[in-house]
Amino acid sequence: MYELPQDITQEKPDVFRKKCPARYLLSRVSGKWSMLIVDALHNKNLRNGELMRIIEGISQKMLTQTLRELEEIQLVKRHDMQTVPPHVEYELTELGKSLREKICAMDRWIEENMLELIANNPSIQLKRNKT
Amino acid sequence: MYELPQDITQEKPDVFRKKCPARYLLSRVSGKWSMLIVDALHNKNLRNGELMRIIEGISQKMLTQTLRELEEIQLVKRHDMQTVPPHVEYELTELGKSLREKICAMDRWIEENMLELIANNPSIQLKRNKT
DNA sequence: CCGTATCCTACCAGATACTG
DNA sequence: CAGTATCTGGTAGGATACGG
């Protein structure tokens, strides 16, 4: 899906090109958990447990893993208070806050158009994933 | 990830709730191929082969599969011209065009901020997926 | 040209148990 | 509280071959 480009700086960013870093970033950002985490962090910093409670169905493993990935691409900042018991907060970076606008727009759009999207589609109401 | 709600109509759409259809729709829409296909269909109808050429790296299987899923949730309309050789076009529905705005906003944002996102991250430049 | 049908594999992600 | 570590199965998705 994503291959190393010859020279990143001289390449025009383009999600349609499989060798472009933009494609890799899209796959990271568009993940379901990524979008939900960024959405959840909209107005305040949240702790591990708070995120677990807000995002129903996410596992501890996927939460941690996704947070680390979001940190890596500069969207989330991790604040470890170095206390006992541990207190860690996650915060959106400026870049993250900027992206959040786009993600929230999508999430809210989906919620607003939910009934229309599943209209005449009894099959969707039958689909269920485990967990 | 997604479970059947007791009664869809009386439920407030909420992507954070795992039993809400909005969660299922998000997972469909946020898929990497889904977003690229909707993005690609922005200003004109496209044929199977054209989509294959525009979206580098997508397989025939995933293209067809994703198009069928987008059809199912009323985002894409399939036009079979019933000719020999076959001529099939894909078009965004009104709902699809509405969503396209949100998706394009995300894609363009990623492209514009690509260099900043991978800054200080030589590791990302080393990551590569097969294909 | 526009697909379907199989087969097969990697890895995504859940379950569970353990730690500072 | 906020994580790691390990095991495992399911499935996303690639490769290939065939068909109208």
Side-chain angles (χ1 to χ4, degrees):
Chain A
M1 238 70 86
Y2 171 70
E3 285 176 14
L4 187 67
Q6 319 308 346
D7 181 355
I8 285 175
T9 57
Q10 76 180 23
E11 191 176 2
K12 179 168 160 292
D14 184 354
V15 291
F16 291 111
R17 310 206 60 223
K18 69 177 175 190
K19 291 166 62 175
C20 183
R23 173 72 75 88
Y24 169 77
L25 291 167
L26 177 61
S27 72
R28 286 272 136 255
V29 161
S30 71
K32 178 186 42 193
W33 298 131
S34 303
M35 299 190 61
L36 289 174
I37 289 174
V38 173
D39 191 347
L41 289 170
H42 65 289
N43 49 9
K44 64 189 283 273
N45 303 357
L46 293 174
R47 305 176 62 172
N48 181 81
E50 294 175 313
L51 282 165
M52 289 280 288
R53 260 166 274 125
I54 292 173
I55 305 170
E56 282 188 15
I58 195 172
S59 64
Q60 174 65 59
K61 178 186 167 181
M62 289 315 297
L63 176 58
T64 302
Q65 184 176 308
T66 310
L67 282 168
R68 297 289 175 276
E69 288 168 359
L70 292 174
E71 255 190 286
E72 191 179 37
I73 55 176
Q74 331 278 349
L75 293 174
V76 162
K77 181 92 174 62
R78 181 177 187 272
H79 299 284
D80 189 337
M81 307 309 181
Q82 303 286 358
T83 57
V84 178
H87 181 141
V88 177
E89 290 188 1
Y90 293 95
E91 179 185 25
L92 289 179
T93 62
E94 286 309 311
L95 215 49
K97 289 175 188 169
S98 169
L99 176 61
R100 182 188 70 79
E101 307 301 329
K102 319 299 180 189
I103 288 179
C104 283
M106 268 200 54
D107 288 352
R108 299 296 88 73
W109 186 93
I110 288 171
E111 289 169 351
E112 284 164 19
N113 295 275
M114 181 181 88
L115 293 178
E116 213 174 335
L117 286 162
I118 62 179
N120 310 319
N121 256 303
S123 65
I124 287 181
Q125 296 172 35
L126 292 175
K127 282 178 187 161
R128 55 173 87 202
N129 311 5
K130 33 277 153 206
T131 290
Chain B
M1 236 69 85
Y2 172 70
E3 287 176 14
L4 187 66
Q6 320 309 346
D7 181 355
I8 284 176
T9 56
Q10 75 179 21
E11 191 176 2
K12 180 169 157 291
D14 184 354
V15 291
F16 291 112
R17 309 207 59 224
K18 71 177 174 189
K19 291 167 61 176
C20 183
R23 173 72 74 89
Y24 169 76
L25 291 167
L26 177 61
S27 72
R28 286 273 136 252
V29 160
S30 71
K32 181 184 41 197
W33 298 130
S34 303
M35 299 189 61
L36 289 174
I37 288 174
V38 172
D39 191 348
L41 289 170
H42 65 290
N43 48 10
K44 64 191 283 273
N45 302 358
L46 293 174
R47 305 176 61 171
N48 179 81
E50 294 175 310
L51 282 164
M52 290 279 290
R53 260 167 274 123
I54 292 173
I55 305 171
E56 282 188 15
I58 195 171
S59 63
Q60 174 65 60
K61 177 185 169 183
M62 288 315 297
L63 177 57
T64 303
Q65 183 176 308
T66 311
L67 282 168
R68 296 291 175 274
E69 288 168 357
L70 292 174
E71 255 191 287
E72 190 178 37
I73 55 175
Q74 332 276 349
L75 292 175
V76 163
K77 182 91 174 63
R78 182 176 187 272
H79 298 284
D80 189 337
M81 307 308 182
Q82 303 286 1
T83 58
V84 179
H87 181 141
V88 178
E89 290 188 1
Y90 293 96
E91 179 186 26
L92 289 179
T93 62
E94 286 308 312
L95 214 50
K97 288 175 188 168
S98 169
L99 176 60
R100 182 189 70 78
E101 307 300 330
K102 318 299 180 188
I103 288 179
C104 284
M106 267 200 54
D107 289 352
R108 299 296 88 72
W109 186 93
I110 289 172
E111 289 169 352
E112 284 163 19
N113 294 275
M114 182 180 88
L115 292 178
E116 213 175 335
L117 286 162
I118 61 180
N120 310 319
N121 256 305
S123 65
I124 287 181
Q125 297 173 33
L126 292 175
K127 282 176 188 164
R128 55 174 85 202
N129 311 6
K130 34 277 152 206
T131 292

